[in-house]
mmCIF file of all heavy atoms in Angstrom:
data_model
loop_
_atom_site.group_PDB
_atom_site.id
_atom_site.type_symbol
_atom_site.label_atom_id
_atom_site.label_comp_id
_atom_site.label_asym_id
_atom_site.label_seq_id
_atom_site.Cartn_x
_atom_site.Cartn_y
_atom_site.Cartn_z
ATOM 1 N N LYS A 592 22.791 -19.009 -6.589
ATOM 2 C CA LYS A 592 23.434 -18.225 -5.529
ATOM 3 C C LYS A 592 23.938 -16.919 -6.098
ATOM 4 O O LYS A 592 24.742 -16.949 -7.038
ATOM 5 C CB LYS A 592 24.614 -19.001 -4.924
ATOM 6 C CG LYS A 592 24.249 -20.350 -4.299
ATOM 7 C CD LYS A 592 23.532 -20.160 -2.990
ATOM 8 C CE LYS A 592 23.035 -21.504 -2.436
ATOM 9 N NZ LYS A 592 22.070 -21.446 -1.404
ATOM 10 N N PRO A 593 23.564 -15.781 -5.564
ATOM 11 C CA PRO A 593 22.509 -15.600 -4.575
ATOM 12 C C PRO A 593 21.132 -15.559 -5.242
ATOM 13 O O PRO A 593 21.038 -15.413 -6.454
ATOM 14 C CB PRO A 593 22.856 -14.246 -3.984
ATOM 15 C CG PRO A 593 23.525 -13.511 -5.109
ATOM 16 C CD PRO A 593 24.200 -14.542 -5.974
ATOM 17 N N ALA A 594 20.101 -15.663 -4.419
ATOM 18 C CA ALA A 594 18.721 -15.604 -4.925
ATOM 19 C C ALA A 594 17.896 -14.732 -3.987
ATOM 20 O O ALA A 594 18.193 -14.628 -2.801
ATOM 21 C CB ALA A 594 18.141 -17.011 -4.993
ATOM 22 N N CYS A 595 16.868 -14.099 -4.555
ATOM 23 C CA CYS A 595 16.057 -13.213 -3.713
ATOM 24 C C CYS A 595 14.564 -13.417 -3.977
ATOM 25 O O CYS A 595 14.175 -14.026 -4.976
ATOM 26 C CB CYS A 595 16.437 -11.753 -3.941
ATOM 27 S SG CYS A 595 16.104 -11.154 -5.597
ATOM 28 N N ILE A 596 13.784 -12.926 -3.048
ATOM 29 C CA ILE A 596 12.320 -12.985 -3.200
ATOM 30 C C ILE A 596 11.795 -11.558 -3.268
ATOM 31 O O ILE A 596 12.007 -10.766 -2.347
ATOM 32 C CB ILE A 596 11.660 -13.745 -2.036
ATOM 33 C CG1 ILE A 596 12.175 -15.182 -2.007
ATOM 34 C CG2 ILE A 596 10.129 -13.699 -2.154
ATOM 35 C CD1 ILE A 596 11.559 -16.051 -0.922
ATOM 36 N N HIS A 597 11.155 -11.233 -4.373
ATOM 37 C CA HIS A 597 10.551 -9.906 -4.526
ATOM 38 C C HIS A 597 9.098 -10.021 -4.086
ATOM 39 O O HIS A 597 8.319 -10.758 -4.673
ATOM 40 C CB HIS A 597 10.644 -9.462 -5.985
ATOM 41 C CG HIS A 597 10.412 -8.006 -6.149
ATOM 42 N ND1 HIS A 597 9.200 -7.420 -5.889
ATOM 43 C CD2 HIS A 597 11.246 -6.998 -6.513
ATOM 44 C CE1 HIS A 597 9.299 -6.120 -6.098
ATOM 45 N NE2 HIS A 597 10.527 -5.833 -6.472
ATOM 46 N N PHE A 598 8.755 -9.296 -3.037
ATOM 47 C CA PHE A 598 7.405 -9.416 -2.480
ATOM 48 C C PHE A 598 6.622 -8.150 -2.818
ATOM 49 O O PHE A 598 7.149 -7.242 -3.458
ATOM 50 C CB PHE A 598 7.481 -9.624 -0.970
ATOM 51 C CG PHE A 598 8.451 -8.709 -0.293
ATOM 52 C CD1 PHE A 598 8.081 -7.437 0.062
ATOM 53 C CD2 PHE A 598 9.760 -9.114 -0.041
ATOM 54 C CE1 PHE A 598 8.977 -6.572 0.659
ATOM 55 C CE2 PHE A 598 10.674 -8.245 0.561
ATOM 56 C CZ PHE A 598 10.271 -6.977 0.916
ATOM 57 N N SER A 599 5.395 -8.091 -2.370
ATOM 58 C CA SER A 599 4.605 -6.891 -2.591
ATOM 59 C C SER A 599 3.895 -6.489 -1.311
ATOM 60 O O SER A 599 3.684 -7.305 -0.410
ATOM 61 C CB SER A 599 3.576 -7.144 -3.682
ATOM 62 O OG SER A 599 2.544 -6.184 -3.584
ATOM 63 N N ALA A 600 3.521 -5.209 -1.282
ATOM 64 C CA ALA A 600 2.844 -4.664 -0.109
ATOM 65 C C ALA A 600 1.439 -5.213 0.057
ATOM 66 O O ALA A 600 0.852 -5.127 1.125
ATOM 67 C CB ALA A 600 2.772 -3.149 -0.251
ATOM 68 N N ALA A 601 0.891 -5.773 -1.018
ATOM 69 C CA ALA A 601 -0.544 -6.005 -0.960
ATOM 70 C C ALA A 601 -1.031 -7.452 -1.123
ATOM 71 O O ALA A 601 -1.488 -8.054 -0.146
ATOM 72 C CB ALA A 601 -1.236 -5.088 -1.948
ATOM 73 N N PRO A 602 -0.974 -8.064 -2.303
ATOM 74 C CA PRO A 602 -1.850 -9.214 -2.551
ATOM 75 C C PRO A 602 -1.727 -10.396 -1.588
ATOM 76 O O PRO A 602 -2.748 -10.923 -1.167
ATOM 77 C CB PRO A 602 -1.490 -9.666 -3.975
ATOM 78 C CG PRO A 602 -0.519 -8.712 -4.492
ATOM 79 C CD PRO A 602 -0.157 -7.723 -3.466
ATOM 80 N N VAL A 603 -0.532 -10.800 -1.234
ATOM 81 C CA VAL A 603 -0.442 -11.989 -0.365
ATOM 82 C C VAL A 603 -1.036 -11.703 1.013
ATOM 83 O O VAL A 603 -1.647 -12.579 1.633
ATOM 84 C CB VAL A 603 1.017 -12.501 -0.257
ATOM 85 C CG1 VAL A 603 1.129 -13.610 0.777
ATOM 86 C CG2 VAL A 603 1.494 -13.015 -1.613
ATOM 87 N N VAL A 604 -0.875 -10.471 1.485
ATOM 88 C CA VAL A 604 -1.429 -10.157 2.805
ATOM 89 C C VAL A 604 -2.881 -9.651 2.742
ATOM 90 O O VAL A 604 -3.470 -9.374 3.777
ATOM 91 C CB VAL A 604 -0.538 -9.149 3.570
ATOM 92 C CG1 VAL A 604 0.707 -9.856 4.072
ATOM 93 C CG2 VAL A 604 -0.174 -7.948 2.716
ATOM 94 N N HIS A 605 -3.438 -9.576 1.539
ATOM 95 C CA HIS A 605 -4.867 -9.257 1.417
ATOM 96 C C HIS A 605 -5.693 -10.542 1.459
ATOM 97 O O HIS A 605 -6.536 -10.790 0.590
ATOM 98 C CB HIS A 605 -5.141 -8.507 0.109
ATOM 99 C CG HIS A 605 -4.757 -7.058 0.160
ATOM 100 N ND1 HIS A 605 -4.764 -6.253 -0.945
ATOM 101 C CD2 HIS A 605 -4.388 -6.253 1.186
ATOM 102 C CE1 HIS A 605 -4.393 -5.019 -0.615
ATOM 103 N NE2 HIS A 605 -4.155 -5.006 0.674
ATOM 104 N N HIS A 606 -5.413 -11.364 2.432
ATOM 105 C CA HIS A 606 -6.168 -12.599 2.633
ATOM 106 C C HIS A 606 -6.326 -12.786 4.132
ATOM 107 O O HIS A 606 -5.517 -12.279 4.913
ATOM 108 C CB HIS A 606 -5.398 -13.811 2.076
ATOM 109 C CG HIS A 606 -5.263 -13.810 0.583
ATOM 110 N ND1 HIS A 606 -6.301 -14.163 -0.246
ATOM 111 C CD2 HIS A 606 -4.237 -13.498 -0.222
ATOM 112 C CE1 HIS A 606 -5.895 -14.078 -1.515
ATOM 113 N NE2 HIS A 606 -4.650 -13.668 -1.526
ATOM 114 N N THR A 607 -7.283 -13.586 4.518
ATOM 115 C CA THR A 607 -7.519 -13.772 5.949
ATOM 116 C C THR A 607 -6.445 -14.648 6.591
ATOM 117 O O THR A 607 -6.440 -14.826 7.801
ATOM 118 C CB THR A 607 -8.907 -14.407 6.182
ATOM 119 O OG1 THR A 607 -8.966 -15.615 5.398
ATOM 120 C CG2 THR A 607 -10.026 -13.467 5.760
ATOM 121 N N ASN A 608 -5.530 -15.190 5.783
ATOM 122 C CA ASN A 608 -4.379 -15.945 6.301
ATOM 123 C C ASN A 608 -3.080 -15.283 5.852
ATOM 124 O O ASN A 608 -2.049 -15.936 5.733
ATOM 125 C CB ASN A 608 -4.439 -17.397 5.808
ATOM 126 C CG ASN A 608 -4.563 -17.463 4.276
ATOM 127 O OD1 ASN A 608 -4.536 -16.429 3.604
ATOM 128 N ND2 ASN A 608 -4.682 -18.648 3.731
ATOM 129 N N GLY A 609 -3.147 -13.965 5.586
ATOM 130 C CA GLY A 609 -2.064 -13.287 4.883
ATOM 131 C C GLY A 609 -0.726 -13.262 5.594
ATOM 132 O O GLY A 609 0.311 -13.549 4.990
ATOM 133 N N VAL A 610 -0.707 -12.897 6.872
ATOM 134 C CA VAL A 610 0.589 -12.767 7.559
ATOM 135 C C VAL A 610 1.284 -14.122 7.610
ATOM 136 O O VAL A 610 2.475 -14.246 7.314
ATOM 137 C CB VAL A 610 0.403 -12.191 8.983
ATOM 138 C CG1 VAL A 610 1.690 -12.313 9.791
ATOM 139 C CG2 VAL A 610 -0.005 -10.728 8.905
ATOM 140 N N GLN A 611 0.539 -15.161 7.947
ATOM 141 C CA GLN A 611 1.173 -16.484 8.038
ATOM 142 C C GLN A 611 1.642 -16.962 6.666
ATOM 143 O O GLN A 611 2.699 -17.586 6.550
ATOM 144 C CB GLN A 611 0.209 -17.512 8.652
ATOM 145 C CG GLN A 611 -0.121 -17.265 10.112
ATOM 146 C CD GLN A 611 1.029 -17.578 11.065
ATOM 147 O OE1 GLN A 611 2.191 -17.396 10.744
ATOM 148 N NE2 GLN A 611 0.692 -18.046 12.272
ATOM 149 N N ASN A 612 0.877 -16.661 5.637
ATOM 150 C CA ASN A 612 1.309 -17.064 4.294
ATOM 151 C C ASN A 612 2.629 -16.399 3.936
ATOM 152 O O ASN A 612 3.547 -17.046 3.428
ATOM 153 C CB ASN A 612 0.248 -16.694 3.246
ATOM 154 C CG ASN A 612 -0.892 -17.702 3.192
ATOM 155 O OD1 ASN A 612 -0.861 -18.719 3.878
ATOM 156 N ND2 ASN A 612 -1.895 -17.420 2.388
ATOM 157 N N TYR A 613 2.719 -15.097 4.215
ATOM 158 C CA TYR A 613 3.985 -14.430 3.862
ATOM 159 C C TYR A 613 5.098 -14.860 4.809
ATOM 160 O O TYR A 613 6.265 -14.892 4.428
ATOM 161 C CB TYR A 613 3.829 -12.908 3.820
ATOM 162 C CG TYR A 613 4.072 -12.332 2.421
ATOM 163 C CD1 TYR A 613 3.734 -11.016 2.110
ATOM 164 C CD2 TYR A 613 4.659 -13.089 1.396
ATOM 165 C CE1 TYR A 613 3.951 -10.485 0.829
ATOM 166 C CE2 TYR A 613 4.877 -12.569 0.123
ATOM 167 C CZ TYR A 613 4.519 -11.277 -0.159
ATOM 168 O OH TYR A 613 4.739 -10.763 -1.420
ATOM 169 N N ARG A 614 4.743 -15.196 6.049
ATOM 170 C CA ARG A 614 5.795 -15.699 6.942
ATOM 171 C C ARG A 614 6.381 -17.002 6.368
ATOM 172 O O ARG A 614 7.594 -17.207 6.368
ATOM 173 C CB ARG A 614 5.236 -15.911 8.348
ATOM 174 C CG ARG A 614 6.097 -15.182 9.395
ATOM 175 C CD ARG A 614 5.485 -15.189 10.742
ATOM 176 N NE ARG A 614 5.585 -16.476 11.428
ATOM 177 C CZ ARG A 614 6.725 -17.052 11.799
ATOM 178 N NH1 ARG A 614 7.885 -16.483 11.542
ATOM 179 N NH2 ARG A 614 6.708 -18.212 12.430
ATOM 180 N N ALA A 615 5.507 -17.859 5.864
ATOM 181 C CA ALA A 615 5.997 -19.112 5.260
ATOM 182 C C ALA A 615 6.917 -18.814 4.080
ATOM 183 O O ALA A 615 7.946 -19.459 3.898
ATOM 184 C CB ALA A 615 4.813 -19.970 4.815
ATOM 185 N N VAL A 616 6.557 -17.786 3.298
ATOM 186 C CA VAL A 616 7.400 -17.403 2.158
ATOM 187 C C VAL A 616 8.744 -16.870 2.668
ATOM 188 O O VAL A 616 9.814 -17.274 2.215
ATOM 189 C CB VAL A 616 6.695 -16.333 1.293
ATOM 190 C CG1 VAL A 616 7.633 -15.787 0.221
ATOM 191 C CG2 VAL A 616 5.418 -16.895 0.665
ATOM 192 N N PHE A 617 8.674 -15.965 3.637
ATOM 193 C CA PHE A 617 9.905 -15.308 4.090
ATOM 194 C C PHE A 617 10.848 -16.278 4.812
ATOM 195 O O PHE A 617 12.061 -16.063 4.828
ATOM 196 C CB PHE A 617 9.574 -14.095 4.966
ATOM 197 C CG PHE A 617 8.865 -12.993 4.205
ATOM 198 C CD1 PHE A 617 7.866 -12.225 4.794
ATOM 199 C CD2 PHE A 617 9.187 -12.728 2.875
ATOM 200 C CE1 PHE A 617 7.219 -11.223 4.087
ATOM 201 C CE2 PHE A 617 8.544 -11.728 2.154
ATOM 202 C CZ PHE A 617 7.554 -10.976 2.767
ATOM 203 N N CYS A 618 10.298 -17.336 5.397
ATOM 204 C CA CYS A 618 11.176 -18.329 6.041
ATOM 205 C C CYS A 618 12.191 -18.884 5.042
ATOM 206 O O CYS A 618 13.299 -19.277 5.414
ATOM 207 C CB CYS A 618 10.349 -19.482 6.611
ATOM 208 S SG CYS A 618 9.589 -19.066 8.182
ATOM 209 N N LEU A 619 11.812 -18.918 3.770
ATOM 210 C CA LEU A 619 12.693 -19.509 2.751
ATOM 211 C C LEU A 619 13.982 -18.696 2.592
ATOM 212 O O LEU A 619 15.030 -19.236 2.228
ATOM 213 C CB LEU A 619 11.959 -19.584 1.403
ATOM 214 C CG LEU A 619 10.666 -20.403 1.408
ATOM 215 C CD1 LEU A 619 9.913 -20.217 0.099
ATOM 216 C CD2 LEU A 619 10.969 -21.879 1.655
ATOM 217 N N ILE A 620 13.911 -17.399 2.896
ATOM 218 C CA ILE A 620 15.101 -16.541 2.731
ATOM 219 C C ILE A 620 16.177 -16.964 3.730
ATOM 220 O O ILE A 620 17.348 -17.131 3.383
ATOM 221 C CB ILE A 620 14.726 -15.051 2.926
ATOM 222 C CG1 ILE A 620 13.633 -14.631 1.940
ATOM 223 C CG2 ILE A 620 15.954 -14.165 2.767
ATOM 224 C CD1 ILE A 620 13.022 -13.262 2.222
ATOM 225 N N GLY A 621 15.768 -17.170 4.977
ATOM 226 C CA GLY A 621 16.733 -17.614 5.987
ATOM 227 C C GLY A 621 17.161 -19.050 5.739
ATOM 228 O O GLY A 621 18.331 -19.407 5.900
ATOM 229 N N LEU A 622 16.220 -19.869 5.341
ATOM 230 C CA LEU A 622 16.503 -21.290 5.115
ATOM 231 C C LEU A 622 17.640 -21.476 4.117
ATOM 232 O O LEU A 622 18.477 -22.365 4.248
ATOM 233 C CB LEU A 622 15.226 -21.962 4.592
ATOM 234 C CG LEU A 622 15.248 -23.482 4.426
ATOM 235 C CD1 LEU A 622 15.344 -24.157 5.793
ATOM 236 C CD2 LEU A 622 13.988 -23.969 3.693
ATOM 237 N N THR A 623 17.669 -20.605 3.118
ATOM 238 C CA THR A 623 18.686 -20.732 2.072
ATOM 239 C C THR A 623 19.882 -19.807 2.313
ATOM 240 O O THR A 623 20.753 -19.684 1.442
ATOM 241 C CB THR A 623 18.066 -20.403 0.697
ATOM 242 O OG1 THR A 623 17.411 -19.136 0.814
ATOM 243 C CG2 THR A 623 17.061 -21.442 0.269
ATOM 244 N N GLY A 624 19.906 -19.132 3.456
ATOM 245 C CA GLY A 624 21.035 -18.242 3.768
ATOM 246 C C GLY A 624 21.113 -17.024 2.879
ATOM 247 O O GLY A 624 22.165 -16.401 2.752
ATOM 248 N N ASN A 625 19.983 -16.638 2.287
ATOM 249 C CA ASN A 625 19.985 -15.483 1.384
ATOM 250 C C ASN A 625 19.627 -14.183 2.088
ATOM 251 O O ASN A 625 19.271 -13.200 1.443
ATOM 252 C CB ASN A 625 19.002 -15.716 0.231
ATOM 253 C CG ASN A 625 19.622 -16.547 -0.876
ATOM 254 O OD1 ASN A 625 20.699 -16.222 -1.370
ATOM 255 N ND2 ASN A 625 18.956 -17.637 -1.246
ATOM 256 N N ILE A 626 19.753 -14.180 3.407
ATOM 257 C CA ILE A 626 19.339 -12.986 4.127
ATOM 258 C C ILE A 626 20.519 -12.020 4.314
ATOM 259 O O ILE A 626 21.608 -12.430 4.705
ATOM 260 C CB ILE A 626 18.707 -13.358 5.500
ATOM 261 C CG1 ILE A 626 18.110 -12.134 6.182
ATOM 262 C CG2 ILE A 626 19.663 -14.087 6.438
ATOM 263 C CD1 ILE A 626 16.846 -11.648 5.581
ATOM 264 N N ASP A 627 20.258 -10.785 3.989
ATOM 265 C CA ASP A 627 21.223 -9.689 4.159
ATOM 266 C C ASP A 627 22.561 -9.938 3.458
ATOM 267 O O ASP A 627 23.623 -9.611 3.995
ATOM 268 C CB ASP A 627 21.440 -9.371 5.648
ATOM 269 C CG ASP A 627 21.656 -7.871 5.863
ATOM 270 O OD1 ASP A 627 21.355 -7.107 4.927
ATOM 271 O OD2 ASP A 627 22.136 -7.472 6.925
ATOM 272 N N ILE A 628 22.478 -10.527 2.264
ATOM 273 C CA ILE A 628 23.684 -10.640 1.433
ATOM 274 C C ILE A 628 23.390 -9.987 0.070
ATOM 275 O O ILE A 628 22.225 -9.885 -0.333
ATOM 276 C CB ILE A 628 24.114 -12.111 1.193
ATOM 277 C CG1 ILE A 628 23.002 -12.910 0.499
ATOM 278 C CG2 ILE A 628 24.537 -12.786 2.497
ATOM 279 C CD1 ILE A 628 23.478 -14.253 -0.052
ATOM 280 N N ALA A 629 24.446 -9.573 -0.616
ATOM 281 C CA ALA A 629 24.260 -8.986 -1.951
ATOM 282 C C ALA A 629 23.550 -9.997 -2.846
ATOM 283 O O ALA A 629 23.901 -11.180 -2.866
ATOM 284 C CB ALA A 629 25.616 -8.625 -2.553
ATOM 285 N N GLY A 630 22.535 -9.551 -3.545
ATOM 286 C CA GLY A 630 21.782 -10.439 -4.430
ATOM 287 C C GLY A 630 20.720 -11.253 -3.718
ATOM 288 O O GLY A 630 19.938 -11.954 -4.346
ATOM 289 N N GLY A 631 20.692 -11.153 -2.407
ATOM 290 C CA GLY A 631 19.631 -11.818 -1.634
ATOM 291 C C GLY A 631 18.604 -10.787 -1.210
ATOM 292 O O GLY A 631 18.268 -9.878 -1.973
ATOM 293 N N ASN A 632 18.083 -10.922 0.000
ATOM 294 C CA ASN A 632 17.167 -9.920 0.545
ATOM 295 C C ASN A 632 17.931 -9.095 1.569
ATOM 296 O O ASN A 632 18.436 -9.638 2.558
ATOM 297 C CB ASN A 632 15.937 -10.581 1.161
ATOM 298 C CG ASN A 632 14.943 -11.009 0.093
ATOM 299 O OD1 ASN A 632 15.204 -11.948 -0.657
ATOM 300 N ND2 ASN A 632 13.844 -10.311 -0.020
ATOM 301 N N ARG A 633 18.045 -7.790 1.302
ATOM 302 C CA ARG A 633 18.901 -6.911 2.101
ATOM 303 C C ARG A 633 18.107 -6.069 3.081
ATOM 304 O O ARG A 633 17.030 -5.586 2.769
ATOM 305 C CB ARG A 633 19.663 -5.946 1.167
ATOM 306 C CG ARG A 633 20.635 -6.584 0.216
ATOM 307 C CD ARG A 633 21.826 -7.185 0.929
ATOM 308 N NE ARG A 633 22.497 -6.242 1.842
ATOM 309 C CZ ARG A 633 23.392 -5.341 1.465
ATOM 310 N NH1 ARG A 633 23.738 -5.232 0.215
ATOM 311 N NH2 ARG A 633 23.963 -4.523 2.352
ATOM 312 N N MET A 634 18.707 -5.887 4.266
ATOM 313 C CA MET A 634 18.062 -5.038 5.273
ATOM 314 C C MET A 634 18.591 -3.619 5.133
ATOM 315 O O MET A 634 19.763 -3.373 5.359
ATOM 316 C CB MET A 634 18.366 -5.593 6.650
ATOM 317 C CG MET A 634 17.667 -6.917 6.816
ATOM 318 S SD MET A 634 18.254 -7.822 8.212
ATOM 319 C CE MET A 634 16.803 -8.788 8.573
#
Side-chain angles (χ1 to χ4, degrees):
K592 300 286 174 195
C595 64
I596 299 182
H597 196 294
F598 45 84
S599 160
V603 173
V604 285
H605 282 172
H606 293 283
T607 54
N608 54 4
V610 169
Q611 293 288 34
N612 279 356
Y613 243 168
R614 233 171 75 64
V616 172
F617 295 143
C618 281
L619 301 171
I620 302 169
L622 186 67
T623 52
N625 277 308
I626 187 74
D627 215 15
I628 59 167
N632 282 70
R633 296 292 308 277
M634 292 166 153

